[in-house]
């Protein structure tokens, strides 16, 4: 998760879309669906202009899952993931949500006890009818090689997990951590060659500003050194947070939508008529017990408000959203913000760590 840099939008002072008319999911919020985003053949699933505001698009919403079960670094087992999926499928949870995303094949958050994520989550997801966007760490060639070797033992034709893996993402905010796009691109291409017969989508995920400012251009075009060396990547996850922009909750949704529009508009301009599948890879807000960040105040009330204005607006527009994250995670260490101050990251869940929801996760309806 992007957690240490504020990148100001070109225009962040345009109010809160929670006050915009929501009966028309194409024109109500205004900004995302206007201009370039409407003209390109970029893959956004839209509803009819006459459609009413909906209750919840289960098929478009997913959640991020991480891997440790406690502060001692115990790894989640298949049974733990099955319990997660049961909670997400319950009446008190999200009902029809059937998609999650992860960050590594083997998670080394606790190096003394690496967690075999893919080996535990894929059989659990298969048994519970979920699909997984499976992440591969790829900030270095060594890390990528290790992840690829680990996945090669789990994701095989005989395993039967191919239908459970919705996509592979190679790298998670690697460009944000200053990995060069022309270093990352060959790793994505290699994963596509290695696993493309089993997984339809292979791509990457990064912060919105790395797509908007051109840093990710070689990933999109496949062009490094002035010539196209490999096909451009056609599955991209764009992360955007009003919170990490330090925005007051009254302007958080507007900033979030504006950041995504900048990123997606640039991708569309670059991709032209090529079909590119784009999702919002992460967004969210910390609940009670979390840290404030500039004007962004952590509270469960604000988390609920951002979900119902920001996330629900994206879903109404027909855009896939992965909410960060499914459950509070008390094991996580603090992160360092651009100010040098420490930020708590243990209270970002839509659910408490006991797997009960913090608030109603239904989107509002309009009469």
């Amino acid at each position: 998760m992007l957690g240490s840099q504020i990148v100001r939008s070109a225009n962040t002072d345009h109010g809160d879309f929670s006050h915009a008319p929501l009966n028309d999911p194409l024109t109500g919020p205004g900004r995302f669906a206007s201009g370039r985003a409407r003209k390109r053949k970029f893959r956004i699933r839209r509803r009819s202009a006459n459609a009413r505001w909906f209750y919840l698009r289960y098929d478009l919403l997913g959640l991020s899952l991480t891997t440790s079960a406690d502060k001692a670094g115990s790894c989640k087992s298949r049974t733990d993931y099955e319990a997660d999926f049961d909670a997400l499928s319950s009446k008190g949870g999200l009902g029809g949500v059937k998609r999650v995303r992860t960050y590594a094949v083997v998670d080394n958050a606790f190096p003394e006890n690496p967690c075999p994520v893919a080996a535990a989550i894929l059989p659990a997801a298969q048994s519970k009818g979920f699909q997984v966007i499976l992440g591969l760490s790829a900030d270095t060639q060594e890390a990528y090689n290790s992840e690829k070797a680990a996945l090669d033992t789990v994701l095989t034709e005989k395993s039967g997990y191919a239908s459970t893996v919705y996509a592979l993402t190679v790298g998670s905010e690697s460009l944000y951590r200053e990995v060069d796009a022309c270093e990352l691109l060959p790793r994505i291409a290699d994963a596509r060659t290695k696993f493309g017969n089993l997984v339809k989508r292979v791509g990457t995920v990064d912060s919105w500003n790395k797509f908007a400012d051109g840093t990710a251009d070689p990933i999109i075009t496949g062009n490094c050194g002035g010539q196209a060396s490999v096909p451009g990547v056609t599955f991209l996850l764009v992360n955007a947070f009003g919170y990490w922009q330090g925005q007051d909750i009254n302007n958080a949704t507007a900033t979030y939508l504006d950041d995504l529009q900048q990123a997606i508009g640039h991708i569309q301009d670059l991709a032209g008529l090529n079909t590119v599948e784009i999702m919002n890879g992460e967004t969210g807000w910390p609940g009670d017990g979390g840290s404030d960040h500039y004007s962004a105040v952590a509270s469960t009330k604000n988390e609920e408000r951002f979900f119902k204005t920001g996330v629900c607006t994206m879903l109404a527009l027909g855009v896939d959203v992965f909410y960060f994250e499914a459950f509070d995670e008390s094991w996580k260490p603090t992160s360092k913000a651009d100010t040098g101050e420490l930020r708590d990251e243990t209270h970002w869940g839509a659910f408490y760590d006991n797997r009960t929801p913090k608030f109603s996760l239904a989107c509002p309806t309009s009469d």
Side-chain angles (χ1 to χ4, degrees), residues 324-335:
F324 184 89
E325 56 190 330
F327 306 101
D328 282 350
E329 301 200 308
S330 59
W331 61 269
K332 279 188 173 180
T334 54
S335 64

Side-chain angles (χ1 to χ4, degrees), residues 14 16-18 20-22 24-34 37 42-47 52-62 99 208 236-242 252-265 268 278-284 305-323 363-364:
H14 40 245
D16 186 348
F17 286 126
S18 65
L22 296 176
D24 184 345
L26 288 180
T27 61
R31 295 182 175 272
F32 186 86
S34 65
F42 144 71
R43 183 179 180 273
I44 281 187
R45 289 176 282 183
R46 301 187 185 279
R47 304 190 71 191
R52 297 179 62 189
W53 190 241
F54 65 100
Y55 198 64
L56 182 61
R57 284 292 302 276
Y58 293 121
D59 58 319
L60 299 183
L61 180 65
R99 194 162 57 191
W208 71 273
L236 300 171
L237 271 62
V238 181
N239 295 351
F241 290 83
T253 289
T255 299
Y256 162 64
L257 298 178
D258 189 74
D259 291 350
L260 283 175
Q261 181 179 327
Q262 290 183 57
I264 293 171
Q268 292 173 327
I278 307 174
M279 299 181 176
N280 177 201
E282 280 185 352
T283 195
R305 181 174 173 184
F306 181 76
F307 185 92
K308 292 185 184 298
T309 57
V311 174
C312 289
T313 295
M314 278 285 100
L315 296 175
L317 288 167
V319 179
D320 299 79
V321 177
F322 280 86
Y323 189 77
C363 289

Side-chain angles (χ1 to χ4, degrees), residues 125-140:
Q126 186 182 64
S127 71
K128 298 296 183 178
F130 274 71
Q131 285 191 304
V132 180
I133 293 182
L134 193 63
L136 285 79
S137 297
D139 283 1
T140 65

Side-chain angles (χ1 to χ4, degrees), residues 175-207:
L175 304 183
Y176 171 73
R177 287 191 291 275
E178 300 185 349
V179 175
D180 188 89
C182 289
E183 292 180 26
L184 183 61
L185 179 60
R187 295 166 196 162
I188 301 170
D190 181 71
R192 188 163 48 197
T193 299
K194 175 66 178 175
F195 300 106
N197 64 319
L198 296 173
V199 180
K200 181 179 179 181
R201 303 165 183 86
V202 179
T204 193
V205 52
D206 226 292
S207 173

